[in-house]
Amino acid sequence: MSFGWLLVVGATLEVATGTIVPPLFDYDNLTQCREHYFSEAVFCYVKVITKADDPFRSIHDHKGTRLVQQFRRNLLEHAICVQDCEQEVVRLSYEEQKRLYYDEFPIEFRHMYNTLHWDDELQPYLQNYSKLINICVNNRLERRYNLTYHGYSKIEYCLSNAPAPGDETFSSILTNIYLDFAYIDGLRVVINFFILYGHCMMVPLNLPVENPEDAEACTIEVGSRYGTAIFAFAVQIFFTISGLLLMVNFLRDLHRHPKLEPGYFRTKIINRLIRLLPVYYFFLLVATVEAILPGVELGPLGYQVLVREQHICRNNWWINVLMINNLPFYDTQCMMHAWYLGADLQLFLLGVLILWMIWKFPDSVKGLFWALVMISIAVPVGILYHFGLESVMTSRHSESPFLFMYDPWLREIYQPSYNNINSLVGGMIAGYLYHLSRHGKLNLDESWFYYFMWGFSIPAFILSVLPINLFFVFDIPRWSILLHFVLFRNMIVAMVCLGYINCFRSPKGWIRRLLSTRIMTTMGKLCYSSYVIHVLVIRYLINLSPKMLHFSNEEVTTLTATTVGLSYLVSVPVYLCIEQPVGSVLKAWLIRSKSGKPV
């Protein structure tokens, strides 16, 4: 696959003219700046906070809308060719420069990333160009858009054609179970595709676009609100799959060997780490050096998609290494999508503990499950109430410049493992019922509770989904938000787990046959690698774009198709050269070390 073809793909994300005045994203031409000023060229990414009267004013009429989803109109993002600014400012008189300079003033919202991650590199630029850029930006706002108010400009990062001192690579970082569940791999593929599409949809919301008004219009559409809220279902389904397979595997082993071999639970944990860590750590290393890899030339959006990530990862890599990057105790995330891997591992460890308790106290299974269900409902409800959050995930453009990294709903509700226990436990209950049913210890046809759950879960699930838009528009009482949250977060789990139970109780239909085909099960084995890789693929594609992005369904579809194709294509050598061989070597080492033979 040629580099030129990738460049064409990147170029499809170009753009048109916006109607928000002043434009939220105003970028100088990086290529022209470099070619015109050669080694002297300095290109800075700047956040501009203005004294606009209404920071959320919009060209659309959204009266009666409770949740404001638009971009902040008083937060602008400029990319400045510093040498052009110098030529503009030098033409101004001293009095004009003094008038145009605007001192920093206090604001109550997050407007930029934590620059401590690259503070040493940034300091010289702050000292030399902060005042210049402040004056230059206000001059442009006056001259181009006839603004009657000024703004304060703050440099977030700068690129220079001159070689950067001290730039060094980061070198210190370290079968299907039963035929009944053959469709699970295919289900993983479908859900993984849905997640990748959602992430591609987020790209134009997170990066500078020339038509932000179109992005806003899309976000506030009723369909988009439903889509954003329902996006959380995909992760919950993945966690139910983990719980289901974990329980089925364990009960199969326990049925064959009731006493279990010494170190059984420890071996399960080690095997899980062997499965996850080689590929994850390899691409974590790539993320820390991605902007300086051979052949990588930064484009206009290179800072946003490569450099910023690289700096964050160089500082926060240890959080990912310890697999705690999903917990809400850390300010900035490296490889943000890897939060799922941390949450999944933590839930796996909890699942192993639950299995140990079932093995140790087999008569307490029913009470244990009921206690876990109650805890898994109560904990997230308490957190939601404490922070005063909404019942569903929302997409607010005031949070989008940070990839929603600091969004309280994602940090406090969506990502922590302890708020997803319901999914794990639901999957484990389904696996437990499967085992009892398969071995003649349970007849669900005689269970009133099973039929009650079907009769209750379907209308409760529908009731949780239908009113989503009302919570965006009206001032809903707090108790209603909490009740809706309970239904919305738990009925999807109940429906999915009842679906698993129905699948092993009934003959295969065409959907399960399709999901069980060889191509789907093969792609299912590549899901993990493709998930780890796909955000890096997106970043490199966006870096190839010669201009700012254009938000439209066509561009998002193109980006999704390219990302999915490249992610799975790259995941094949990753699976064959890293995931499988490294896993085999480590498992062989584990077996030999247990047997006492020389490794």
Side-chain angles (χ1 to χ4, degrees):
M1 187 174 299
S2 68
F3 176 81
W5 182 84
L6 289 176
L7 187 61
V8 171
V9 172
T12 62
L13 303 174
E14 295 181 21
V15 275
T17 306
T19 57
I20 296 178
V21 178
L24 302 181
F25 307 102
D26 195 338
Y27 271 44
D28 288 350
N29 190 303
L30 174 61
T31 303
Q32 289 182 6
C33 184
R34 285 171 166 169
E35 291 178 351
H36 190 68
Y37 298 107
F38 303 105
S39 62
E40 296 181 357
V42 176
F43 198 81
C44 291
Y45 297 86
V46 179
K47 294 295 174 62
V48 183
I49 306 96
T50 69
K51 281 284 191 177
D53 296 332
D54 181 1
F56 284 105
R57 72 188 190 282
S58 173
I59 57 174
H60 307 285
D61 182 11
H62 301 304
K63 291 181 179 178
T65 297
R66 183 174 68 90
L67 295 179
V68 180
Q69 294 179 270
Q70 293 95 323
F71 288 98
R72 295 183 185 276
R73 294 304 198 271
N74 64 335
L75 178 60
L76 314 178
E77 185 168 317
H78 285 225
I80 302 290
C81 180
V82 172
Q83 284 67 32
D84 283 347
C85 264
E86 288 177 333
Q87 294 185 10
E88 294 173 25
V89 172
V90 76
R91 301 190 189 103
L92 302 173
S93 66
Y94 173 78
E95 289 74 17
E96 281 292 286
Q97 293 182 22
K98 187 175 180 180
R99 182 183 66 84
L100 291 169
Y101 180 77
Y102 207 83
D103 287 322
E104 184 175 5
F105 52 88
I107 52 176
E108 297 179 353
F109 58 88
R110 182 183 290 275
H111 62 287
M112 63 192 301
Y113 278 83
N114 187 347
T115 58
L116 289 176
H117 299 294
W118 50 88
D119 190 59
D120 291 341
E121 294 181 25
L122 185 61
Q123 283 305 315
Y125 298 110
L126 291 175
Q127 294 172 9
N128 294 329
Y129 303 121
S130 288
K131 186 173 182 179
L132 169 73
I133 289 177
N134 190 313
I135 296 170
C136 177
V137 168
N138 284 328
N139 182 51
R140 290 181 176 184
L141 292 175
E142 271 194 12
R143 180 162 46 88
R144 296 176 181 177
Y145 310 108
N146 296 318
L147 292 193
T148 59
Y149 52 86
H150 292 153
Y152 173 75
S153 302
K154 197 160 188 176
I155 300 174
E156 185 171 87
Y157 193 80
C158 290
L159 301 173
S160 172
N161 270 3
D167 200 5
E168 55 189 19
T169 59
F170 188 80
S171 57
S172 61
I173 298 184
L174 305 171
T175 336
N176 284 334
I177 306 171
Y178 290 100
L179 188 61
D180 291 332
F181 296 107
Y183 68 93
I184 288 293
D185 277 330
L187 181 61
R188 281 195 182 108
V189 174
V190 173
I191 301 173
N192 193 46
F193 175 81
F194 179 71
I195 290 175
L196 265 58
Y197 176 78
H199 288 172
C200 290
M201 188 75 177
M202 288 170 60
V203 167
L205 305 179
N206 169 242
L207 296 172
V209 290
E210 288 190 5
N211 58 334
E213 64 284 344
D214 292 337
E216 282 188 340
C218 175
T219 303
I220 62 177
E221 289 177 356
V222 173
S224 296
R225 290 172 174 172
Y226 277 90
T228 301
I230 292 173
F231 183 74
F233 287 170
V235 170
Q236 290 184 278
I237 296 174
F238 263 130
F239 288 143
T240 63
I241 291 175
S242 295
L244 172 73
L245 299 183
L246 185 63
M247 179 61 77
V248 171
N249 262 314
F250 167 72
L251 293 178
R252 178 202 59 184
D253 295 341
L254 188 62
H255 181 72
R256 294 174 178 174
H257 308 284
K259 291 186 178 180
L260 296 180
E261 62 182 33
Y264 173 83
F265 297 103
R266 182 177 67 251
T267 300
K268 291 190 77 70
I269 294 172
I270 294 175
N271 285 336
R272 185 70 167 190
L273 295 175
I274 290 174
R275 167 83 171 87
L276 293 179
L277 298 186
V279 171
Y280 178 41
Y281 283 178
F282 177 80
F283 284 99
L284 175 61
L285 178 61
V286 171
T288 65
V289 298
E290 55 190 346
I292 58 172
L293 288 174
V296 175
E297 183 175 348
L298 296 180
L301 300 176
Y303 158 65
Q304 284 89 345
V305 294
L306 296 181
V307 176
R308 186 162 58 198
E309 173 85 348
Q310 173 182 289
H311 282 288
I312 292 172
C313 288
R314 287 189 177 191
N315 284 270
N316 285 0
W317 59 269
W318 63 273
I319 299 173
N320 294 64
V321 168
L322 296 178
M323 305 292 279
I324 55 176
N325 50 309
N326 65 303
L327 301 177
F329 313 123
Y330 308 100
D331 185 44
T332 309
Q333 292 174 291
C334 161
M335 288 184 67
M336 184 180 172
H337 70 293
W339 75 265
Y340 169 80
L341 306 181
D344 185 59
L345 179 60
Q346 292 157 23
L347 288 173
F348 177 82
L349 295 176
L350 174 63
V352 171
L353 176 61
I354 294 171
L355 298 182
W356 178 85
M357 295 178 68
I358 292 173
W359 174 61
K360 208 70 174 172
F361 311 102
D363 296 333
S364 63
V365 174
K366 185 181 293 186
L368 176 63
F369 278 146
W370 274 112
L372 288 169
V373 168
M374 294 298 103
I375 292 172
S376 68
I377 294 175
V379 169
V381 169
I383 293 173
L384 190 86
Y385 176 79
H386 174 74
F387 288 98
L389 301 175
E390 303 300 329
S391 58
V392 298
M393 182 190 301
T394 62
S395 55
R396 308 187 190 196
H397 285 291
S398 55
E399 295 292 336
S400 66
F402 313 105
L403 198 61
F404 307 102
M405 186 180 295
Y406 308 110
D407 185 275
W409 202 92
L410 266 69
R411 298 296 287 143
E412 301 295 343
I413 299 295
Y414 185 59
Q415 295 179 355
S417 53
Y418 44 79
N419 288 334
N420 290 286
I421 294 175
N422 61 336
S423 300
L424 175 81
V425 172
M428 296 184 79
I429 292 174
Y432 188 80
L433 296 178
Y434 167 83
H435 179 83
L436 294 181
S437 178
R438 275 288 174 264
H439 290 85
K441 298 179 180 180
L442 176 67
N443 184 359
L444 289 174
D445 290 329
E446 298 176 355
S447 173
W448 68 267
F449 187 73
Y450 172 68
Y451 288 104
F452 166 78
M453 286 302 297
W454 268 117
F456 172 74
S457 296
I458 293 176
F461 174 73
I462 295 172
L463 186 63
S464 72
V465 172
L466 286 180
I468 286 175
N469 190 58
L470 300 180
F471 290 83
F472 285 79
V473 177
F474 298 107
D475 190 10
I476 305 294
R478 195 69 201 154
W479 66 267
S480 298
I481 292 176
L482 294 174
L483 177 60
H484 181 252
F485 177 74
V486 172
L487 292 176
F488 190 78
R489 291 285 288 177
N490 293 287
M491 287 304 102
I492 178 61
V493 175
M495 290 292 295
V496 169
C497 293
L498 287 169
Y500 294 148
I501 295 170
N502 184 64
C503 283
F504 68 69
R505 298 183 71 240
S506 59
K508 280 187 178 181
W510 68 269
I511 296 179
R512 272 191 288 160
R513 287 198 297 269
L514 174 63
L515 295 176
S516 302
T517 57
R518 177 63 64 86
I519 186 171
M520 295 299 282
T521 56
T522 301
M523 291 181 67
K525 291 178 172 59
L526 302 175
C527 275
Y528 172 64
S529 295
S530 66
Y531 179 80
V532 175
I533 293 167
H534 81 279
V535 171
L536 293 174
V537 170
I538 293 175
R539 291 181 182 279
Y540 279 106
L541 288 175
I542 299 303
N543 181 61
L544 293 174
S545 179
K547 295 182 181 179
M548 284 191 290
L549 305 186
H550 178 68
F551 180 82
S552 71
N553 290 330
E554 292 77 13
E555 273 69 21
V556 171
T557 302
T558 301
L559 180 61
T560 302
T562 308
T563 298
V564 171
L566 288 176
S567 296
Y568 274 94
L569 186 63
V570 176
S571 67
V572 173
V574 170
Y575 180 80
L576 296 176
C577 299
I578 300 178
E579 187 173 339
Q580 279 292 87
V582 174
S584 298
V585 169
L586 291 175
K587 286 179 181 178
W589 171 83
L590 177 64
I591 293 171
R592 290 194 176 190
S593 63
K594 287 172 62 178
S595 65
K597 296 179 180 180
V599 178

